[in-house]
Amino acid sequence: GHAASYSASTDTVYIFGGQQLIGGAILDDMWAYSMISHEWSLVVPAGTEDEEPGRRDAAAVWMDQSMLVIGGAAGTECIGSNVKLRSSASGASLVEVDDG
């Protein structure tokens, strides 16, 4: 499944990654659901240069205006790295996380 977290300051739910039910493709996009407008919006377009490689079954938490994505898997490979996806009005960017 996808990783999800909630931003109380913007009343928004963010989801990242996951796996397609049909075909099994690992997803690498990030979506935001506004609890105010009840609308979904694409935050990180799939296939762009700055995005994190797709993963499924990861955990996530919202902190410091960023979604921290922890672990997960890509296909049968476990991912040991953690990434932070920072959201802003202009989209989102990948922020490196020190795993040490």
Side-chain angles (χ1 to χ4, degrees), residues 16-17 26-30 42-55 83-86 92-96:
F16 174 77
I26 303 298
L27 303 174
D28 58 3
D29 49 357
M30 182 176 180
L42 183 61
V43 181
V44 177
T48 61
E49 190 174 314
D50 293 334
E51 78 191 42
E52 168 64 11
R55 58 177 74 191
V83 296
K84 190 184 283 187
L85 298 161
R86 183 166 310 242
S93 60
L94 178 65
V95 179
E96 297 298 325

Side-chain angles (χ1 to χ4, degrees), residues 1-98:
H2 59 267
S5 61
Y6 172 72
S7 168
S9 64
T10 61
D11 208 14
T12 302
V13 176
Y14 291 89
I15 64 168
F16 174 77
Q19 186 171 9
Q20 286 182 339
L21 183 60
I22 298 173
I26 303 298
L27 303 174
D28 58 3
D29 49 357
M30 182 176 180
W31 288 82
Y33 179 76
S34 169
M35 302 293 280
I36 298 166
S37 68
H38 303 285
E39 294 180 340
W40 285 99
S41 59
L42 183 61
V43 181
V44 177
T48 61
E49 190 174 314
D50 293 334
E51 78 191 42
E52 168 64 11
R55 58 177 74 191
R56 61 174 172 79
D57 301 329
V61 64
W62 188 262
M63 54 189 269
D64 299 326
Q65 298 304 311
S66 300
M67 182 179 188
L68 178 61
V69 180
I70 304 155
T76 59
E77 299 292 321
C78 289
I79 298 173
S81 65
N82 303 324
V83 296
K84 190 184 283 187
L85 298 161
R86 183 166 310 242
S87 179
S88 68
S90 61
S93 60
L94 178 65
V95 179
E96 297 298 325
V97 175
D98 180 8

